[in-house]
Amino acid sequence: MSSSQENSNGPPSAAKDAVLVPSVEMPAEAIEVSGIDFNKFHDKPVTAEDLYEGMKSAGFQSTSLCQAVDIINEMRTWAGPPLPDSPPGTSPPKCTIFLGYTSNLISSGLRSTLSYLVQHSHISAIVTTAGGIEEDIIKCLHPTYLSASGFSAPGASLRTQGLNRIGNLVVPNKNYCSFEDWVVPLLDEMLAEQETALSQPVEEGDARFTWTPSKVIHRLGSHLGTHPSTSPLAHTSVLYWAAKNNIPIFCPALTDGSLGDMLYFHTFRSSPRHLGIDIVPDIRRLNTISVRAAKAGMIILGGGLVKHHIANACLMRNGADYAVYINTAQEFDGSDAGARPDEAVSWGKIRGDAKTVKVYLEASVAFPLIVANTFVKGAREDKEDEKME
């Protein structure tokens, strides 16, 4: 048969077989792809829960985001069996939840969401960067603004105006001047306490007083609520609520920001010794929290130091039980920031049977929707249960 005759009778059989490879039967538990039917909401508002229900089977990052909701809900509701020799009535152990975030998120409006979690003690410990400390304080003094030119505002022009750009946000230099006025007298107090403690005799077996980043941060947070310039807005602060609720905030890179500038300037006015800040007790404290955790969960917004510092603490207990990463970094360059959870499994920082997800979304978009469907929803349900009792 000629090729012309074959073509006249239909497509070549080899081509047809290649295109239409027979498919297997899909398993009964397979989930159909579907999205949100907004026709259902013409006469009622769309809630965060409605979005979650509609997005979880939409695929791509919608599904990943909803997996993060499911994992975090399991983190926050897990309760283990009573510990041996626990007194009657002792609450069962809960999951220890580590929260990590980069400083840009405090600069953004996501600070309100992070503050809510700390205010209501939904998390156990925090790791952030220096900007995550100072920007939180600065917002109690002066606001941060949206840039009129968005991400395209020219740096040279902003520099001549004394304005600093963080993405599409703008922070006036005045904010940092006010921060210096606020923090330097406190550094003086802390140095005086250090010098008084160092002048006292040390009894055998006693540890000599030392400042650590977490102690410094606790003092800063407490000071927010008492200083007249910051107390009116202290309730918006992550540091304030962390100090009030005794939630430790760790910042091993405490000097990498405006706070480091202030500590540098302070060395020229302090005598005979400078303020000493020891990072070693903090790594012992963070790792001990991890080791003693009945279950451990990580919620990491962004990458870099905050991501690895929490993951490495979880190595001390042979890995976290839950991990939710939210960032846009890619893994092709081998950076820890872009690494998926399975890479941490190879190091023992996440358990092999842990429940994990990486959400490839910018956190200011993803995290409010996640929090609305986890901690906020859970708090509302708890109140409803209390009314029923």
Side-chain angles (χ1 to χ4, degrees), residues 329-335 338-339:
Q330 304 293 316
E331 65 175 359
F332 61 80
D333 60 358
S335 70

Side-chain angles (χ1 to χ4, degrees), residues 107-367:
S107 301
S108 78
L110 195 64
R111 172 177 179 257
S112 301
T113 303
L114 300 172
S115 178
Y116 166 84
L117 295 178
V118 182
Q119 178 183 354
H120 297 282
S121 299
H122 289 311
I123 49 92
S124 311
I126 292 171
V127 175
T128 189
T129 54
I133 304 303
E134 64 211 22
E135 295 293 331
D136 183 68
I137 298 168
I138 289 168
K139 280 191 168 183
C140 293
L141 294 164
H142 300 291
T144 296
Y145 300 91
L146 287 172
S147 167
S149 302
F151 290 89
S152 301
S157 174
L158 292 174
R159 179 63 177 168
T160 61
Q161 300 174 70
L163 301 176
N164 307 280
R165 184 167 66 83
I166 305 170
N168 62 346
L169 315 178
V170 170
V171 187
N173 270 342
K174 178 184 75 172
N175 294 22
Y176 297 100
C177 295
S178 295
F179 175 60
E180 181 176 6
D181 294 339
W182 184 89
V183 77
V184 168
L186 185 56
L187 297 178
D188 288 339
E189 291 179 18
M190 294 165 62
L191 177 60
E193 291 177 34
Q194 171 186 293
E195 294 303 289
T196 298
L198 292 177
S199 67
Q200 302 299 316
V202 179
E203 299 294 333
E204 185 176 353
D206 288 348
R208 186 175 288 279
F209 174 87
T210 183
W211 287 106
T212 66
S214 64
K215 285 182 181 178
V216 171
I217 294 164
H218 186 277
R219 175 61 65 85
L220 295 172
S222 299
H223 196 58
L224 282 170
T226 58
H227 195 279
S229 67
T230 52
S231 58
L233 292 176
H235 66 281
T236 67
S237 162
V238 174
L239 267 62
Y240 170 79
W241 288 113
K244 198 172 183 65
N245 293 332
N246 289 316
I247 295 172
I249 299 180
F250 298 96
C251 183
L254 189 66
T255 57
D256 186 30
S258 180
L259 189 56
D261 300 342
M262 299 305 107
L263 290 167
Y264 166 65
F265 296 150
H266 192 258
T267 63
F268 293 98
R269 55 183 281 149
S270 60
S271 177
R273 280 188 290 263
H274 308 319
L275 185 66
I277 303 176
D278 188 353
I279 63 173
V280 175
D282 264 7
I283 192 63
R284 180 183 175 99
R285 185 182 182 192
L286 176 63
N287 287 355
T288 299
I289 293 171
S290 173
V291 168
R292 292 178 178 174
K295 288 269 188 181
M298 306 190 295
I299 303 173
I300 314 292
L301 313 181
L305 180 147
V306 302
K307 180 171 179 273
H308 183 262
H309 205 57
I310 292 175
N312 203 68
C314 287
L315 171 62
M316 301 300 146
R317 62 182 308 278
N318 200 30
D321 301 281
Y322 308 98
V324 171
Y325 294 170
I326 304 174
N327 67 58
T328 57
Q330 304 293 316
E331 65 175 359
F332 61 80
D333 60 358
S335 70
D336 179 72
R340 293 180 293 112
D342 189 61
E343 183 173 304
V345 173
S346 77
W347 291 88
K349 297 167 186 177
I350 297 176
R351 294 177 187 265
D353 60 352
K355 296 186 177 180
T356 69
V357 68
K358 175 170 177 176
V359 184
Y360 288 84
L361 289 172
E362 197 269 304
S364 71
V365 176
F367 202 50

Side-chain angles (χ1 to χ4, degrees), residues 19-26:
V19 172
L20 301 177
V21 175
S23 58
V24 300
E25 289 296 321
M26 294 299 292

